[in-house]
Amino acid sequence: MSRKRDEDDVIFDEVAELVDLMSRGNMAGLQDFMQRYQENHQDLTHVQMMGLADLPVEERIIKQQEMLRKMFEKMDGNEADPSMVSDLLASLEIHYDDLKTARMNRRARDVLMVMLEYEHESFVDDLIPKILELDAWIEDDDNASKIYKKYGRHDLETDLLMGLVFYKTGALDKAESLLKKFMTYPEFVEVAPYLSDIDEFYEAYDDYNSEDFMDDEYDYDDDDYDEDDYDEEDDDFDLADHDDFMSFDDEDDEYTFYDLWDQYTDLFTENEAFFEWVGRHL
Amino acid sequence: MTEIDKAIIEIDQSEEDPVNAVIKMGQILNQYAYNQVMSASTKASQQDALVSALETYEYDLMALKILKPAREAGMLILELDPDDLNNITADVLYIDAQLSDTKHAQAVFEAHGKKDDLNHLLAMSLVHFKNMEFTQAKQVLEPMLHDPMVVELARELCEETLDDHLDAYFDCNDESPLGDFYDAWEEHGEFFEAHRGYFMWIAQYIMNENK
């Protein structure tokens, strides 16, 4: 789960607590809440940014830029205060999301590069494929190569994105040198035979998705069945009392190439020719 | 048969993979083009063959989404064939927009851009928009801001009738002053569709300025 979402959850919890205190007229509790709130949130720019969601994209982006500029000014000369850095990263993530949605790919990539400077080591891995994805859109093999060399974690996702950047810049020899690595990933070996004809791949993809859906739909666990959950009067199950009855447990599923395709669907469908080329060269 | 034709045939015969063939072709064409630009005593037939091969090469690369090399081919054509300046300039600028490359676009626009070519202005405006240069994205349209053709396009976008006009133009061979723009929409379809947000934004600006 991303840091932004973690913080969003905290905010939702706080709002729920506030509503509860107000509805009960608990003044002492309210006072305590306000004190805690001020201590916890000195400057939540990313929350203010979330409040801009209804503005047209260009206005939103300009305002976000202004807010970020102020944040950087505040940080200048200050020792990196962890809460400030955390707020900055959450704000940059919102800005990146909006830029990417508006297809302002180079700017979105630049934001990720800034995040890379401030991000805690444990989160860096999440940024690398996002940077490579944008480098593929803008065909920036220089930046992608540097990032891949320094941070590449050498999994299918990273290698595939790097291969795509090379392909798109016409550096086929470099892309070919990565092909051997693709075949070391079992999730890739599974789809490799279909790639040389993209229509065949899509058939396999559709089959996988329909099978996956059926598996999830009928993932019925007898052990979870409890007669108390069955309401004879309306002849229906009370699902509210029985979260586990119909299980869509994605954690049980292995990560597949099709999941990767879903994750980068715009980029991958735009570059079907690359996958066909890969398929022909395996 | 020119030397270039012979080279193309040789690559076709030796290289099985179409993508590899296109890239290899590009390397050879670039060398020919470079020599051509540098040489004062070039035969017209050789020049025509080279431009034609480069056009095919650029088209193939764009279809394969290998855009930077496609742009290089476009730049060579601009050097070699001033007759086809308008279309190639628009192609190069739309590639720059896809790559969000303001610096390159600006240089091409200043050297070859026409202030009365809607595709040139829109492509340059889109490059600015994609780099968050919203003021410049509006300013660049200034020369044609009140042109009836531009207002008509803005209206089609705002009233969401653009798709109907595109269909009529392509399916029924309708004549339209916006023909060049519709052709560009057809050629760069996925890219234009992905940037409808920009087109809506600029259309609203045009409509406001023409109230």
Side-chain angles (χ1 to χ4, degrees), chain B residues 43 63 65 86 89 133 135 151 155 160 177-178 185 188 208:
Chain B
K43 288 179 190 163
K65 307 291 174 189
N86 286 3
T89 303
E133 296 154 350
T135 309
V151 178
R155 186 173 294 115
E160 295 182 14
L178 282 165
W185 192 288
H188 306 277
N208 282 339

Side-chain angles (χ1 to χ4, degrees), chain B residues 4-164:
Chain B
I4 293 159
D5 294 328
K6 282 180 201 162
I8 291 170
I9 290 168
E10 199 183 310
I11 291 169
D12 275 346
Q13 285 169 348
S14 65
E15 193 57 69
E16 278 180 21
D17 190 279
V19 178
N20 290 51
V22 168
I23 296 295
K24 204 168 176 182
M25 188 99 71
Q27 289 160 354
I28 289 173
L29 290 176
N30 283 351
Q31 192 53 50
Y32 272 115
Y34 178 76
N35 294 341
Q36 196 94 337
V37 171
M38 301 306 285
S39 158
S41 58
T42 310
K43 288 179 190 163
S45 62
Q46 189 88 349
Q47 173 122 341
D48 290 347
L50 180 55
V51 169
S52 161
L54 278 169
E55 281 172 349
T56 309
Y57 170 60
E58 186 211 9
Y59 181 83
D60 288 346
L61 286 172
M62 280 170 66
L64 291 168
K65 307 291 174 189
I66 298 175
L67 298 179
K68 266 190 185 164
R71 184 176 71 178
E72 280 170 35
M75 294 304 290
L76 286 171
I77 300 170
L78 282 179
E79 293 267 5
L80 293 166
D81 185 21
D83 292 346
D84 201 19
L85 206 64
N86 286 3
N87 286 337
I88 298 295
T89 303
D91 275 355
V92 170
L93 287 172
Y94 279 126
I95 292 176
D96 281 330
Q98 298 192 52
L99 301 174
S100 305
D101 193 341
T102 319
K103 207 172 157 190
H104 192 271
Q106 197 81 52
V108 171
F109 188 71
E110 274 166 25
H112 304 287
K114 294 248 174 75
K115 302 278 191 295
D116 59 350
D117 189 312
L118 180 58
N119 275 324
H120 293 189
L121 299 186
L122 277 176
M124 192 62 233
S125 166
L126 179 52
V127 178
H128 283 307
F129 179 84
K130 280 173 70 75
N131 280 287
M132 303 193 314
E133 296 154 350
F134 301 117
T135 309
Q136 291 97 314
K138 289 172 181 169
Q139 274 171 355
V140 81
L141 276 184
E142 189 63 38
M144 292 185 80
L145 192 57
H146 305 292
D147 187 304
M149 177 174 73
V150 174
V151 178
E152 172 57 23
L153 173 63
R155 186 173 294 115
E156 287 175 17
L157 281 158
C158 289
E159 292 173 359
E160 295 182 14
T161 56
L162 175 68
D163 291 332
D164 300 334

Side-chain angles (χ1 to χ4, degrees), chain B residues 187-199:
Chain B
E187 193 178 339
H188 306 277
E190 288 166 5
F191 173 68
F192 275 41
E193 285 297 343
H195 290 82
R196 267 199 191 245
Y198 159 76
F199 285 108

